[in-house]
């Protein structure tokens, strides 16, 4: 139910593939308006956790709630938008046409779809560049369009899988800025995976460190750094894993 104080709850969640455990008894929660990062090496369970939260995967055991509704239910799906790491856009369409096409999937040929696409165009920060064919755009521009496509729907929970992966410094900064500004303006909660520790320190309210499907540490980035007497979050993460 929407009056829940938690945007997302994982309780003892387990998921495996062909006998290999990907998420092993994971429990955490995200409050309204929080930006939280899932950190960990490849294979630690980050993407699987995001897909479970999005309702794309069903856990073998445990409970996952989105504003009090079971993840994957019709009500929960309406409150979640998800950006996969490999999300692409159509090269033959302009940036704006990509946004309009996506909006029409949800709202049909309507004024609401047009207004949603216009909002998405503003969120990209690309100005007139949004009207160029996507096929001639840089990777950073395409990623900003894909992110805007996710944000423009206005869902209260946003799931982002490596939103700045492979981007240059300028594009990564713009993507982080869009995420932070959107969350502050709308009150949306964000759960994102990342390998970029500096990004997490600057953007996120809390970090959840995962390794081999388990949570090994959780807290505010600076608190984790201080706990492990580290110079930064990256060093703290390495120290946390060494103690396992």
């Amino acid at each position: 139910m929407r009056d829940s104080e938690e945007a997302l709850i994982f309780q003892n969640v387990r998921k495996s593939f062909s006998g290999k455990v990907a998420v092993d008894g994971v429990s955490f929660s995200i409050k309204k308006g929080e930006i939280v990062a899932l950190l960990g090496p490849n294979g630690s369970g980050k993407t699987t956790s995001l897909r479970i939260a999005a309702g794309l995967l069903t856990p073998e055991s445990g409970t996952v709630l989105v504003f009090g509704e079971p993840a994957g239910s019709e009500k929960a799906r309406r409150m979640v938008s998800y950006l996969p790491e490999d999300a692409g856009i159509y090269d033959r369409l302009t940036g704006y046409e990509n946004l309009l096409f996506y909006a029409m999937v949800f709202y049909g040929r309507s004024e609401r779809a047009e207004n949603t696409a216009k909002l998405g165009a503003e969120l990209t920060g690309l100005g007139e560049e949004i009207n160029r064919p996507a096929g001639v755009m840089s990777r950073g521009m395409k990623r900003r369009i894909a992110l805007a496509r996710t944000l423009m729907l206005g869902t209260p929970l946003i799931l982002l899988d490596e939103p700045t992966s492979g981007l240059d410094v300028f594009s990564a900064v713009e993507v982080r800025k869009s995420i932070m500004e959107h969350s502050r303006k709308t009150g949306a909660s964000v759960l994102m995976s990342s390998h970029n520790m500096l990004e997490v320190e600057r953007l996120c309210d809390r970090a959840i460190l995962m390794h081999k499907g388990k949570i090994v540490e959780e807290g505010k980035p600076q608190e984790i750094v201080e706990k492990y007497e580290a110079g930064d979050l990256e060093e703290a993460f390495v120290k946390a894993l060494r103690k396992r």
Side-chain angles (χ1 to χ4, degrees), residues 102-199:
Y102 196 67
M104 289 171 59
V105 170
F106 286 86
Y107 307 125
R109 291 180 178 270
S110 65
E111 183 178 354
R112 184 176 183 182
E114 292 179 2
N115 290 336
T116 299
K118 290 177 182 177
L119 173 61
E122 292 177 7
L123 290 171
T124 67
L126 293 176
E128 290 300 319
E129 295 293 307
I130 195 71
N131 295 312
R132 295 174 61 194
V136 301
M137 291 182 175
S138 68
R139 180 171 182 176
M141 294 171 71
K142 289 181 178 180
R143 193 60 172 171
R144 287 161 70 177
I145 292 170
L147 175 64
R149 187 179 63 189
T150 304
L151 301 182
M152 71 182 187
L153 297 178
T155 60
L157 177 60
I158 299 165
L159 309 173
L160 307 173
D161 197 355
E162 300 285 352
T164 62
S165 176
L167 300 186
D168 59 55
V169 173
F170 178 80
S171 296
V173 168
E174 290 300 314
V175 166
R176 287 197 293 269
K177 179 181 177 182
S178 295
I179 294 169
M180 180 177 291
E181 289 182 349
H182 182 79
S183 178
R184 287 177 175 175
K185 182 178 180 179
T186 65
S189 304
V190 179
L191 177 63
M192 55 178 279
S193 67
S194 179
H195 286 98
N196 190 324
M197 304 293 178
L198 178 61
E199 173 175 271

Side-chain angles (χ1 to χ4, degrees), residues 73-81 153-156:
S73 66
E74 184 177 352
K75 288 184 178 180
R77 287 179 182 273
R78 292 176 181 173
M79 294 186 282
V80 176
S81 53
L153 297 178
T155 60

